[in-house]
Amino acid sequence: MGILFFQFIRQTKKNIRIIEPIDRVKETSKLLPILEEVKEATISIELAEVNKMHLEGLPNIRSFSSGDIVEWPILENVIVNHCPNLKKFGLGKIKQSQIKSVIMENQLQIDIDTKIAYLFELLDEFSTITKYYIRDSEKLDKTIDNLKPSHFTNLLQFEAKNCNEKLIKFLSILIKRSRKLETISIEQCQTLQYLFDVSHHTLKMSKDGDGDEDEDGKYFTKVKELKLKDLYQLTYIWNKDTIRLFSFQNLQMIDIKNCPSLEILFTHSIAKKLRQIKELKLETCVKLDEVVDHGQDDKPTIVKFPTLSKVEFKSLSKLIHFYLHHLEFPSLKTLIIEKCPQMEKFTIGFVTADASSIIDEKCFSELNELKLDSCDKLVYVVSSKTLQELRNLKKLIVTHCKSMKMVFNIHDKIFHSTELLQHLDELILTNLPNLTNIINKEIDMFYQNLQILQVNGCKSLKWLPMSLMLTNMEISNCESLEKIVISNKEEGTRGLTTFSHLKVISLENLTNLSSVFPSTSKFPSLEMLKIANCPTLKIFVEEFNKLKDLPESTTSNYFFPNSVSFTLVF
């Protein structure tokens, strides 16, 4: 025979699934299903509306919860009788000041504080803390030695710096109890070879004493950010595949910098779970040769990152590709790849050394900014059927890629009037010695709205398309450049081509350039004109015949405004 009684201040809400209102349970066996529900809970249990608890005649009960933490925020009155096996802290955790009365069988002479301290774990700083920063191993040792079951159960943000291998043990504890954790940041822990010990033994034998079977995707369900920096011995983040243990459903940002021993970041099974990731930054991880490890499986498997909007890869000296097989980035807006000399492709048909590959039409439709620097093996920026995928590209910078031959490689036949890259407003090409073409097709409607055009050190480039919307044009050190072609030339008044917004023109060391603008042109906004070491330049602006008969006062500032600054060096 047993009694379990709860008194609620108001009617219990239906969404509290752990305990429904109970007046009396006369059979102890009927209590077991209730406790089983408590056992299966995967978050801290808060009974926010209970102010009185009465346990009577329950000889087998040891604790209210089998592993998870129970909180009683407004509990005031407690009666416990004939519960001989109830263990210390068996009823959960409370604030000491809230309890007004405690009645226990044959213990009337014991003061209330002693009774409370036995039945309940009293909340302290580490029980309620939401942000925890640890800066040395000595402090970490003390924290582990004085750990209580309720500690770090409300933790949201964790940062560690200058810690030894005991950090692995502490992180294993957080895996089990910090169900609210959102941010993990670890720096300068130089002896760690991995961070999370996810072995079966560690998870089952954690300090919590929880012997439950591990559930799929049970841990780190709330983590949003993972930041790792200066972990010189770190080889793996996890010491085994975590697919069954961790849920990455809320992971949004990964930032890893200066981890030179890191060999594997994700398996493809983990990558498939990253449905919410928005930002991925990797820098100075010199052993990493692929971001998503395909393992021993050469069977093509598609990995999709539906929310990934920003990718930065910097100083990854062995990186060959993101993933061996097919990738999809429907939301990617910014891609920056710097100092990745071994990269052969980012993904199929995009930032690649393979001319035959073709970009997926579903990818990169939202790409806004693309920057490539010091990627020695790349030959093409985009290899595409029609180049319609990059309709939102605004900024393109390609520098110091010594094998780059072409920016846009189009495979299919397209009409001259096809509009391409109409949102591109900035194009910068620097030190691309093998670049022969910007694009391999003659297109009239090509980057018509381009505003900034800077080309330097492209000694194999022979012709260059430009836009009437330019504000800044700087071309230098392109020894083979012969002509500059206006995309979609429009005839203005009296047969003139008007560059209404062009403010800066700089032409330097263009030894084969014979003419800049092939037709008469007008520059009403020009502020600076610089021409240096262009020995074959014969015509800059060809004066229209009908203007020759006009009075000098009419034509003196027709092509250039009076305020223009000239620098001519031949």
Side-chain angles (χ1 to χ4, degrees):
M1 297 288 291
I3 297 175
L4 177 64
F5 173 79
F6 294 101
Q7 180 175 327
F8 292 77
I9 290 180
R10 57 185 182 276
Q11 184 178 1
T12 304
K13 295 180 180 178
K14 293 181 180 180
N15 62 0
I16 299 178
R17 77 175 186 87
I18 305 303
I19 300 292
E20 294 293 336
I22 299 173
D23 290 332
R24 291 180 181 272
V25 180
K26 295 186 178 181
E27 296 293 336
T28 306
S29 60
K30 293 183 180 180
L31 180 62
L32 296 179
I34 299 171
L35 296 181
E36 284 300 317
E37 283 199 64
V38 174
K39 179 178 178 180
E40 293 298 322
T42 59
I43 59 174
S44 296
I45 305 163
E46 183 178 280
L47 299 179
E49 303 186 29
V50 179
N51 77 333
K52 180 181 288 187
M53 175 169 55
H54 185 176
L55 303 181
E56 184 82 32
L58 303 173
N60 294 316
I61 191 169
R62 298 185 69 247
S63 64
F64 196 86
S65 168
S66 179
D68 291 300
I69 302 300
V70 181
E71 299 180 10
W72 310 87
I74 64 169
L75 185 64
E76 295 179 349
N77 302 289
V78 179
I79 300 174
V80 178
N81 286 322
H82 304 293
C83 301
N85 289 309
L86 188 64
K87 67 180 182 179
K88 189 175 182 180
F89 303 151
L91 297 185
K93 61 182 183 179
I94 59 167
K95 295 180 180 178
Q96 185 172 10
S97 60
Q98 74 187 59
I99 299 295
K100 295 180 179 179
S101 69
V102 177
I103 299 175
M104 295 180 67
E105 178 187 20
N106 299 325
Q107 295 186 6
L108 297 177
Q109 71 280 10
I110 301 177
D111 65 89
I112 185 172
D113 291 338
T114 302
K115 296 175 185 177
I116 292 173
Y118 181 83
L119 294 174
F120 299 95
E121 181 182 356
L122 304 181
L123 294 174
D124 58 13
E125 176 189 2
F126 291 124
S127 300
T128 58
I129 194 171
T130 59
K131 297 180 181 180
Y132 186 54
Y133 311 113
I134 193 161
R135 293 292 181 263
D136 58 73
S137 296
E138 183 177 350
K139 182 179 178 182
L140 178 62
D141 290 342
K142 291 180 180 179
T143 300
I144 294 175
D145 291 341
N146 295 289
L147 205 62
K148 295 181 180 180
S150 65
H151 286 181
F152 303 109
T153 55
N154 290 295
L155 194 64
L156 299 177
Q157 184 174 338
F158 173 66
E159 294 185 14
K161 189 175 182 179
N162 298 319
C163 294
N164 59 21
E165 291 87 348
K166 285 194 176 180
L167 180 62
I168 299 174
K169 180 180 180 181
F170 186 73
L171 289 171
S172 295
I173 294 170
L174 294 187
I175 287 174
K176 291 288 286 184
R177 64 176 61 188
S178 300
R179 306 289 175 80
K180 301 177 183 179
L181 190 62
E182 295 181 354
T183 300
I184 300 173
S185 178
I186 301 173
E187 296 184 22
Q188 298 179 13
C189 300
Q190 299 186 14
T191 61
L192 298 181
Q193 294 185 357
Y194 60 89
L195 295 179
F196 302 109
D197 185 352
V198 296
S199 65
H200 185 68
H201 174 77
T202 301
L203 289 175
K204 292 192 68 175
M205 302 300 293
S206 66
K207 195 166 183 175
D208 293 353
D210 186 1
D212 297 349
E213 290 293 327
D214 297 317
E215 300 176 7
D216 286 358
K218 182 177 181 180
Y219 304 105
F220 285 171
T221 59
K222 303 294 184 181
V223 172
K224 295 180 179 180
E225 297 183 5
L226 177 63
K227 300 178 182 179
L228 309 176
K229 183 179 179 181
D230 299 331
L231 308 179
Y232 299 111
Q233 301 300 319
L234 186 71
T235 305
Y236 310 99
I237 296 178
W238 298 273
N239 66 342
K240 62 181 292 186
D241 194 347
T242 64
I243 186 65
R244 290 191 62 253
L245 304 176
F246 290 88
S247 171
F248 301 98
Q249 61 194 35
N250 288 301
L251 188 60
Q252 298 178 14
M253 193 271 281
I254 298 173
D255 187 353
I256 302 177
K257 184 176 182 179
N258 201 19
C259 297
S261 300
L262 185 64
E263 296 179 1
I264 294 178
L265 183 57
F266 304 122
T267 63
H268 75 275
S269 56
I270 292 175
K272 287 182 177 180
K273 284 193 170 187
L274 302 178
R275 309 294 293 178
Q276 295 298 322
I277 190 165
K278 292 179 171 60
E279 190 169 332
L280 175 60
K281 295 182 179 181
L282 303 176
E283 182 173 353
T284 321
C285 301
V286 297
K287 284 192 175 182
L288 194 67
D289 60 4
E290 60 182 349
V291 179
V292 178
D293 180 39
H294 70 282
Q296 303 299 319
D297 185 12
D298 291 330
K299 182 180 179 180
T301 304
I302 297 176
V303 175
K304 184 176 182 178
F305 296 94
T307 61
L308 186 61
S309 61
K310 185 174 184 178
V311 173
E312 290 187 12
F313 293 162
K314 298 181 179 180
S315 299
L316 307 178
S317 58
K318 290 189 177 181
L319 186 68
I320 298 174
H321 47 243
F322 195 115
Y323 178 51
L324 180 63
H325 304 303
H326 184 69
L327 289 167
E328 292 184 8
F329 303 93
S331 301
L332 189 63
K333 295 183 182 298
T334 302
L335 174 59
I336 298 173
I337 304 176
E338 299 178 359
K339 297 181 180 178
C340 298
Q342 299 301 316
M343 176 173 277
E344 296 177 1
K345 67 176 181 179
F346 181 76
T347 186
I348 297 173
F350 189 78
V351 183
T352 180
D354 184 6
S356 63
S357 62
I358 297 177
I359 190 174
D360 191 319
E361 295 179 359
K362 299 178 182 178
C363 295
F364 307 108
S365 60
E366 298 298 320
L367 189 64
N368 184 273
E369 178 182 358
L370 173 59
K371 182 179 180 182
L372 305 174
D373 177 68
S374 301
C375 299
D376 294 340
K377 290 191 174 183
L378 297 180
V379 180
Y380 305 95
V381 176
V382 181
S383 186
S384 168
K385 287 184 178 181
T386 62
L387 201 58
Q388 295 293 332
E389 302 86 356
L390 304 180
R391 54 182 174 271
N392 288 307
L393 186 64
K394 291 186 177 181
K395 184 176 183 179
L396 175 59
I397 300 175
V398 185
T399 58
H400 305 97
C401 298
K402 63 183 182 181
S403 298
M404 184 67 63
K405 292 183 178 180
M406 191 179 303
V407 180
F408 305 108
N409 181 35
I410 300 178
H411 288 256
D412 290 358
K413 292 182 179 180
I414 57 177
F415 295 107
H416 288 278
S417 59
T418 303
E419 294 186 357
L420 297 178
L421 302 177
Q422 293 303 298
H423 289 93
L424 186 66
D425 57 30
E426 183 174 352
L427 176 62
I428 298 175
L429 306 173
T430 303
N431 290 336
L432 308 176
N434 288 300
L435 184 71
T436 57
N437 293 290
I438 305 297
I439 187 170
N440 64 335
K441 304 286 185 180
E442 292 187 8
I443 306 296
D444 292 336
M445 311 288 281
F446 183 59
Y447 61 46
Q448 285 181 286
N449 295 300
L450 190 69
Q451 298 178 26
I452 297 174
L453 177 61
Q454 297 177 3
V455 182
N456 176 39
C458 300
K459 63 182 183 180
S460 300
L461 186 65
K462 292 187 176 182
W463 68 280
L464 179 65
M466 67 175 175
S467 163
L468 288 172
M469 301 302 292
L470 284 176
T471 61
N472 184 300
M473 183 175 75
E474 299 178 47
I475 316 297
S476 60
N477 302 307
C478 299
E479 292 91 333
S480 299
L481 186 64
E482 297 176 356
K483 60 180 179 178
I484 299 174
V485 180
I486 301 174
S487 298
N488 191 31
K489 180 182 68 175
E490 295 180 358
E491 296 299 323
T493 306
R494 299 175 184 173
L496 294 175
T497 301
T498 303
F499 290 84
S500 302
H501 309 285
L502 189 56
K503 295 181 179 181
V504 176
I505 299 175
S506 178
L507 306 173
E508 296 185 71
N509 302 320
L510 307 176
T511 54
N512 278 305
L513 185 66
S514 58
S515 64
V516 182
F517 302 100
S519 63
T520 54
S521 303
K522 182 180 178 181
F523 308 89
S525 301
L526 192 64
E527 297 175 359
M528 192 274 283
L529 172 62
K530 181 179 181 180
I531 302 176
N533 192 25
C534 299
T536 61
L537 183 63
K538 297 179 180 179
I539 301 172
F540 180 78
V541 176
E542 181 182 359
E543 187 175 351
F544 192 64
N545 289 332
K546 291 183 179 180
L547 296 178
K548 293 180 180 180
D549 298 329
L550 294 177
E552 183 177 351
S553 60
T554 305
T555 61
S556 61
N557 65 347
Y558 194 87
F559 297 110
F560 305 108
N562 291 328
S563 60
V564 68
S565 172
F566 289 94
T567 302
L568 304 177
V569 181
F570 294 95

